Amino acid sequence: MQKKELLYEGKAKKVYRTDNPDLLWVEYKDDATAFNGAKKGTIVGKGVLNNLISAHFFQLLAEKGVPNHFVELVNEREQVVKSLDIIQVEVIVRNLAAGSMAKRLGLEEGMDLGGPVVDYCYKSDELGDPLINDDHIRALKLAAPEQVKTIREMALKVNDILTSYLADKNIILVDYKLEFGFHKGEILLGDEISPDTCRFWDSKTREKLDKDRFRRDLGNVEEAYKEIYRRLTGREVQI
Ligand code: UDP
């Protein structure tokens, strides 16, 4: 496998072409942004930790029958994935009220939602990723109704797998964002699953172990990402 030219640079990752047209080479960066790019910073070692954490979750999900884009780790900061034609919808799954949902509906953060709540957002930086529903997805031709059904079922299966897996590691999966795409006609889970895209709380203390520490200037950001890696793998990573 050869790393070829840079195709795309996003807020947290760089994506390169490879010598195989079906595969991409992803490099995770230490750059951190929040509030649609309004807040910028660096989380030292984030690229390494998110690359390893995301690979860990995708391997677990593949073993449990959730088809996804992950192929292999190439080093601490880079992984190879299947190239996807991304569906322009962010799928958010929530178990406890937090973040934008708590704010929008006037709920206390941490309120149990009594079962998963799935939100869809239109992936558009210019519009600030607005909340949409199944009908908007159809009307905007982002995906067909049966595809939305598949995506929702996959997102809920991910929720079952990850909530119980993380509970064993004393982590509450509060909410998270997933992205899906097409690869050779099949819908695969893509993007990343990491403390950048999930809210993780310690089960006992409810301490935040995710990007909210950066968004809300809570300090100990790097330590939180390292703690998630440690709880998932039982290993330390030298940054
Ligand atoms: N999220 C994300 N990317 C986004 C928006 C949200 O990864 O562009 C994740 C976020 O980390 C959280 C979940 O999706 O785990 C729900 O986020 P929310 O809608 O509450 O938005 P936020 O409060 O992060 O603005």
Side-chain angles (χ1 to χ4, degrees), residues 8 11 84-92 119-134 136-144 147-148 151 177-182 187-188 190-191:
Y8 166 81
K11 290 176 226 153
L84 297 186
D85 182 6
I86 286 284
I87 297 169
Q88 298 301 312
V89 176
E90 295 191 337
V91 179
I92 293 174
D119 279 339
Y120 302 111
C121 294
Y122 178 30
K123 263 172 74 70
S124 162
D125 283 343
E126 305 87 83
L127 300 175
D129 298 342
L131 190 64
I132 53 175
N133 65 24
D134 304 48
H136 294 104
I137 295 175
R138 176 186 42 77
L140 272 67
K141 298 190 168 58
L142 303 176
Q147 293 164 345
V148 177
I151 287 166
K177 185 259 302 180
L178 301 176
E179 295 188 23
F180 296 86
F182 293 99
I187 296 183
L188 302 183
D191 196 46

Side-chain angles (χ1 to χ4, degrees), residues 37-104:
K39 180 178 171 117
K40 290 191 173 70
T42 301
I43 300 174
V44 176
K46 178 172 82 81
V48 168
L49 289 157
N50 280 1
N51 180 45
L52 299 177
I53 291 169
S54 202
H56 185 87
F57 281 130
F58 278 118
Q59 275 164 330
L60 171 75
L61 291 169
E63 280 164 23
K64 305 270 184 191
V66 178
N68 66 67
H69 72 161
F70 180 75
V71 176
E72 62 178 1
L73 277 173
V74 273
N75 58 47
E76 280 199 323
R77 209 175 258 283
E78 297 175 303
Q79 59 181 261
V80 171
V81 299
K82 291 180 183 167
S83 123
L84 297 186
D85 182 6
I86 286 284
I87 297 169
Q88 298 301 312
V89 176
E90 295 191 337
V91 179
I92 293 174
V93 183
R94 304 173 184 279
N95 295 302
L96 304 183
S100 70
M101 181 191 188
K103 198 170 172 196
R104 190 170 56 250

